[in-house]
Amino acid sequence: MRRTRARAFARDLVRESNLSVKNLILPLFVVDGKGRDTDVESMPGVRRQTLESLVKTVGKAAELGIPAVALFPLIDSKLKTGDGRAALDAKGLVPRTVARLRKEFPELGIITDVALDPYTDHGQDGVIDRDGYVLNDRTVETLAHQAIVHADAGADIVAPSDMMDGRVRAIRETLEERGYVNTMILAYAAKYASAFYGPFRDAVGSAKSLGKADKRTYQMDPANADEAMHEIGLDIAEGADIVMVKPGLAYLDIIMRAKQKFGVPVFAYNVSGEYAMIKAAARAGWIDERACVLESLVAFRRAGASAVLTYHALDAASWLRDA
Ligand code: PBG
């Protein structure tokens, strides 16, 4: 076995998977106002950015060759309500951001998050009843409307991350009715109720709203894999163009099974907690950040992911360029 490992040229020739900047998607946090950028403390190197500085970051990403960005808003707490209706405001933060990026970067892929948690005062991804249970069908109606607001603004891919049943079909039908025949749906098909989302919830301010509540009545049990195949099969049947597995590193088996079983494009979300762990260990001098990031990203590719949403995207892109 060691003959093909003995020289770099041979290792290059027998390598089974590759990682390119074209496999990377940069998630970004956007906040309203001017000059109000703040650091996300639990995600060193990641900032909540206002539109002007966001445009600069996206410019850097585009220059490095990153094909797409995914937007996540931090909504002013005054705008949060029980039903999350600010998500439907055509002049809201997300549609304004999409429209601006569309204009500045006509070739860039723009992905938006279809979910209510940034907009609800209780931090859940949907409308709740008196007991705090997330109501499926009422939420789905709102999500379909939210997807149209994003498509109207110029989003290329709408990505429902809510885990309601039937939302992909509702969104696809609504998009078709409005003539958005080429707007893609990236379905967070297998999204687990994970503790690795902690830093993200700090970033978008949903941790505070959520309090002690959790999302286990709609996000998946980390112990289940067959159920993920069931979920993914349904989302594909309902019209998903691409399916997402989330989180990433602890769920590589799900990515691999999904790819083998369905043969559709599978994306992976290398989530906030995974980012925070690498950053923290690297800062302490305990691991080599660059090597660990590139190793994790190629692992997603080996498992079968077409693309990876990762907060490391800008760093990884420049490391790949310099390699
Ligand atoms: C919620 C949403 C979450 C993430 C993306 N969209 C968190 C949650 O379900 O509470 C997490 C992403 C990350 O941790 O990086 N719609």
Side-chain angles (χ1 to χ4, degrees):
M1 295 308 294
R2 294 186 56 195
R3 276 190 289 273
T4 51
R5 289 175 207 150
R7 311 258 313 269
F9 86 86
R11 290 193 296 271
D12 284 343
L13 290 176
V14 302
R15 187 160 301 121
E16 297 174 37
S17 31
N18 54 41
L19 176 69
S20 140
V21 64
K22 298 303 173 196
N23 309 127
L24 303 176
I25 296 169
L26 175 65
L28 291 165
F29 298 112
V30 60
V31 60
D32 231 328
K34 283 199 169 61
R36 289 178 53 206
D37 292 18
T38 51
D39 292 323
V40 181
E41 268 170 41
S42 47
M43 301 175 73
V46 173
R47 290 169 74 75
R48 304 174 190 88
Q49 294 183 289
T50 54
L51 199 44
E52 293 314 315
S53 64
L54 189 87
V55 166
K56 290 197 191 110
T57 304
V58 174
K60 247 183 258 166
E63 209 174 289
L64 283 162
I66 292 174
V69 299
L71 297 175
F72 297 95
L74 175 73
I75 300 297
D76 198 319
S77 54
K78 289 197 290 286
L79 295 175
K80 298 190 185 190
T81 55
D83 59 4
R85 75 181 83 98
L88 307 180
D89 181 0
K91 295 197 180 75
L93 177 58
V94 168
R96 273 184 282 122
T97 306
V98 171
R100 175 71 186 279
L101 294 180
R102 179 80 296 146
K103 199 165 116 227
E104 302 266 350
F105 309 100
E107 304 304 323
L108 179 78
I110 302 175
I111 305 174
T112 57
D113 186 45
V114 177
L116 300 183
D117 55 317
Y119 306 93
T120 54
D121 55 15
H122 44 73
Q124 296 289 358
D125 290 41
V127 184
I128 56 175
D129 69 10
R130 250 187 256 152
D131 302 321
Y133 185 76
V134 177
L135 296 168
N136 197 84
D137 296 5
R138 259 207 69 193
T139 301
V140 166
E141 264 175 52
T142 312
L143 294 171
H145 186 166
Q146 184 186 21
I148 294 300
V149 171
H150 295 175
D152 282 341
D156 301 289
I157 303 182
V158 293
S161 69
D162 55 288
M163 288 297 277
M164 296 302 112
D165 288 335
R167 89 281 207 217
V168 172
R169 183 186 311 275
I171 292 170
R172 186 71 262 160
E173 279 172 2
T174 316
L175 287 170
E176 297 294 319
E177 276 164 24
R178 305 294 180 102
Y180 290 116
V181 295
N182 275 333
T183 302
M184 287 170 266
I185 299 177
L186 163 59
Y188 286 69
K191 176 170 177 177
Y192 288 87
S194 171
F196 288 102
Y197 306 149
F200 175 97
R201 290 180 188 171
D202 294 338
V204 301
S206 64
K208 217 172 35 189
S209 321
L210 205 55
K212 282 201 167 47
D214 62 51
K215 300 190 174 183
R216 282 185 285 198
T217 69
Y218 46 105
Q219 298 181 349
M220 282 188 54
D221 182 340
N224 295 355
D226 287 342
E227 187 188 338
M229 297 308 113
H230 191 177
E231 274 282 6
I232 291 167
L234 289 169
D235 281 6
I236 294 168
E238 289 180 26
D241 301 283
I242 306 165
V243 294
M244 178 102 84
V245 173
K246 176 184 177 186
L249 288 176
Y251 297 85
L252 293 177
D253 58 325
I254 308 299
I255 297 171
M256 186 173 169
R257 278 182 64 174
K259 186 69 193 173
Q260 289 181 342
K261 186 170 167 77
F262 299 105
V264 299
V266 178
F267 287 7
Y269 202 141
N270 180 211
V271 299
S272 58
E274 300 170 26
Y275 175 86
M277 289 194 297
I278 287 198
K279 281 288 182 182
R283 290 196 153 197
W286 296 334
I287 59 169
D288 176 339
E289 179 176 352
R290 173 185 165 141
C292 287
V293 167
L294 294 175
E295 181 177 332
S296 333
L297 294 177
V298 87
F300 286 115
R301 299 278 297 147
R302 190 189 66 235
S306 306
V308 188
L309 277 91
T310 178
Y311 304 97
H312 299 291
L314 286 168
D315 285 337
S318 52
W319 293 329
L320 290 167
R321 186 192 51 192
D322 301 340

